[in-house]
Amino acid sequence: MKLAIIGAGNVGGALGTAWAQKAGHEIVFGVRDPAAEKTQALVRKIGSKARAGGLAEAAAYSDVIVLTVPWSAAEAAIRSLGDVNGKIILDATNPLAMGPDGLGLEIGHSTSAGEKVQGWAKGASVYKTLNTTGFGNMADPVFHGVKSVMFVAGDDAGNKPKVMTLVGELGFDVVDAGPLRNARLLEAHAMLWIELALKRGLGRDWAFARVTR
Ligand SMILES: NC(=O)c1ccc[n+]([C@@H]2O[C@H](COP(=O)([O-])OP(=O)(O)OC[C@H]3O[C@@H](n4cnc5c(N)ncnc54)[C@H](OP(=O)(O)O)[C@@H]3O)[C@@H](O)[C@H]2O)c1
């Protein structure tokens, strides 16, 4: 499959590498400066399955677009993609902002980053996913043989199995978390991971997993 990864930082780099190497997908990083040495170094590291291009070019080339830019850049990035009618968009952003109590969610009770992205990406099918764990766990989601969990929330039920397969190819235990409005829950869930990882001593090498009876 052709995947456009918008952003080639921590998350974009981890996902592009994993999808190319574990599942053989073709990766095009959609970035502001495709010639930047850090992006070219990433492309070289991944090998023949990866390249870098502009945002609109990457989006036009691909069936699936994965948004991995900072929240503050998300609207501009989506608007730079051009026509996304009929595309699948995986939104990995979290609407983080500094508040009086430190890092927190800028929105969340009455809307979410996922729903905002859907509003900007007219005609696309937006799914909230790949936002509730650290980028290191996206590269390696399996802990001593146990898959960590990853949720997928989105309204387009027809394309959801395809999205869940893509996320599963990374090595996650994938759970359908319902409609896109449940991005509000997933973004809060991400905040819990961030709080525990960065402020409560768990560090980045832990993840949520599902147990059932
Ligand atoms: N870090 C994590 O563990 C983690 C986990 C889950 C979710 N997330 C979410 O994933 C997103 C990315 O996080 P990250 O840690 O990967 O960030 P990062 O390492 O800073 O990478 C961000 C990428 O976005 C690009 N970018 C910035 N502004 C842009 C714009 N206006 N248009 C196009 N591209 C732009 C940057 O490109 P330039 O080099 O051109 O600046 C860079 O490639 C954030 O929303 C974050 O909340 C992060």
Side-chain angles (χ1 to χ4, degrees):
M1 196 179 292
K2 294 172 181 171
L3 306 180
I5 302 197
I6 307 304
N10 296 317
V11 173
L15 293 176
T17 303
W19 270 317
Q21 294 180 349
K22 293 183 181 176
H25 294 305
E26 281 179 58
I27 307 298
V28 53
F29 292 102
V31 290
R32 294 180 288 189
D33 179 7
E37 177 47 30
K38 63 182 176 182
T39 303
Q40 286 303 318
L42 173 65
V43 164
R44 281 196 300 274
K45 193 188 88 182
I46 297 173
S48 61
K49 290 281 181 189
R51 67 181 179 87
L55 277 81
E57 183 209 334
Y61 174 78
S62 306
D63 318 303
V64 175
I65 299 165
V66 188
L67 186 65
T68 72
V69 300
W71 173 239
S72 57
E75 180 173 4
I78 291 284
R79 295 201 189 285
S80 300
L81 298 179
D83 182 9
V84 291
N85 191 43
K87 301 277 186 184
I88 292 171
I89 298 182
L90 277 56
D91 170 29
T93 69
N94 284 308
L96 302 178
M98 289 306 285
D101 300 321
L103 193 64
L105 293 175
E106 188 178 81
I107 51 176
H109 288 290
S110 56
T111 189
S112 60
E115 291 161 281
K116 290 277 196 186
V117 167
Q118 181 66 81
W120 300 324
K122 298 282 180 236
S125 294
V126 175
Y127 298 87
K128 187 87 216 180
T129 188
L130 296 168
N131 70 310
T132 51
T133 198
F135 66 91
N137 299 333
M138 298 181 200
D140 184 8
V142 181
F143 290 71
H144 303 292
V146 178
K147 291 180 174 187
S148 51
V149 72
M150 184 50 64
F151 304 100
V152 174
D155 294 334
D156 175 3
N159 278 311
K160 199 177 265 184
K162 189 193 246 188
V163 173
M164 292 181 67
T165 297
L166 264 178
V167 175
E169 285 170 348
L170 297 168
F172 285 107
D173 169 25
V174 191
V175 174
D176 182 348
L180 188 62
R181 75 190 307 276
N182 285 349
R184 300 171 198 183
L185 309 179
L186 299 188
E187 290 162 16
H189 196 70
M191 202 63 233
L192 176 62
W193 186 89
I194 293 168
E195 172 81 14
L196 295 175
L198 304 185
K199 289 201 209 157
R200 305 284 155 201
L202 291 195
R204 294 185 143 271
D205 279 332
W206 76 279
F208 298 108
R210 165 169 63 149
V211 288
T212 52
R213 200 183 296 286

